Amino acid sequence: MYISNPGRKARRVMADQNYQTQNTQKNSFQAPTPLPTPSLPPTQNSIPFQPPQIPTETGQGYIIVRVSTASGAIPLEDALVTVTSYKAQDGSDILHAQKTDMSGLTKRLPLPAPPKSASLSPGNGKSYSSYNVRVDKDGYSSQLYINVPIFDGITAVQNADLVPLPENGETDRADPYNPGIFYENENPNLESQSTDN
């Protein structure tokens, strides 16, 4: 005996509709939404080359040359003092050329030197600049001082004691092997005064 069940029929119709809806969604292809194209970094050709920033700050030191004779007892006026770069051993790079006054002194001559800050941290190289100082005067033997150190903010005093030439023009020295060239030590120990005066 067959008994009609209307509720069962309604449930079956709903199940069939759900099945068709799910199958339709499964079988229908939907293209994925395209992602935005990422912006690529600019190529190397479009970026101008920027070298690393190297501090170009330079300090300034000073030198006064005191020229005398007779073991420093007599100052020599009008002695020509020439300051050149240490690298130019031939004297071609002249930075200062000046004559001494009646006290045997030059004016205070400014020279470039590494800044004081360079000596505060290790690995920055030398904390001073090196220069050559040549002293000439008629009737006296010339003298050349090599590797004279100059520090930022310091006034160095270079003493030059000239030896008179005899009448024959030859150098009359106790040490014939010393041609009047003096080399400063690699690690200078200078008597200096501050520029605050």
Side-chain angles (χ1 to χ4, degrees):
M1 174 167 146
Y2 177 75
I3 299 173
S4 171
N5 188 347
R8 184 176 170 192
K9 188 175 183 183
R11 283 194 300 268
R12 177 147 179 100
V13 169
M14 285 180 62
D16 287 343
Q17 287 175 350
N18 287 340
Y19 177 77
Q20 288 176 357
T21 305
Q22 288 175 358
N23 280 344
T24 305
Q25 289 175 352
K26 283 182 185 176
N27 294 333
S28 66
F29 175 76
Q30 292 182 353
T33 330
L35 297 174
T37 306
S39 59
L40 298 174
T43 62
Q44 297 245 346
N45 295 336
S46 66
I47 301 174
F49 174 73
Q50 304 239 348
Q53 296 297 321
I54 299 172
T56 56
E57 175 190 4
T58 58
Q60 189 172 50
Y62 303 89
I63 188 169
I64 295 174
V65 182
R66 180 185 292 133
V67 183
S68 60
T69 190
S71 299
I74 303 171
L76 290 178
E77 187 178 4
D78 291 330
L80 178 62
V81 174
T82 308
V83 180
T84 60
S85 171
Y86 174 65
K87 293 180 181 177
Q89 296 289 341
D90 59 352
S92 60
D93 188 13
I94 297 175
L95 302 173
H96 292 285
Q98 190 177 104
K99 290 198 171 185
T100 56
D101 60 15
M102 61 185 300
S103 302
L105 299 171
T106 63
K107 292 181 181 176
R108 192 170 74 150
L109 307 174
L111 293 168
K116 290 179 186 177
S117 59
S119 63
L120 298 178
S121 53
N124 286 341
K126 293 194 318 183
S127 59
Y128 60 92
S129 293
S130 297
Y131 296 94
N132 296 338
V133 177
R134 181 182 174 93
V135 182
D136 297 288
K137 182 166 174 62
D138 289 339
Y140 293 84
S141 61
S142 298
Q143 291 189 359
L144 175 63
Y145 298 89
I146 297 175
N147 195 24
V148 176
I150 300 296
F151 293 86
D152 180 23
I154 302 293
T155 298
V157 177
Q158 177 66 53
N159 292 311
D161 186 35
L162 301 186
V163 177
L165 292 174
E167 291 182 8
N168 64 3
E170 295 294 325
T171 303
D172 186 17
R173 294 181 176 275
D175 181 5
Y177 299 105
N178 186 350
I181 299 176
F182 303 92
Y183 295 89
E184 295 291 334
N185 292 333
E186 186 61 31
N187 297 316
N189 183 10
L190 297 179
E191 293 181 18
S192 57
Q193 57 189 13
S194 174
T195 57
D196 298 335
N197 296 343

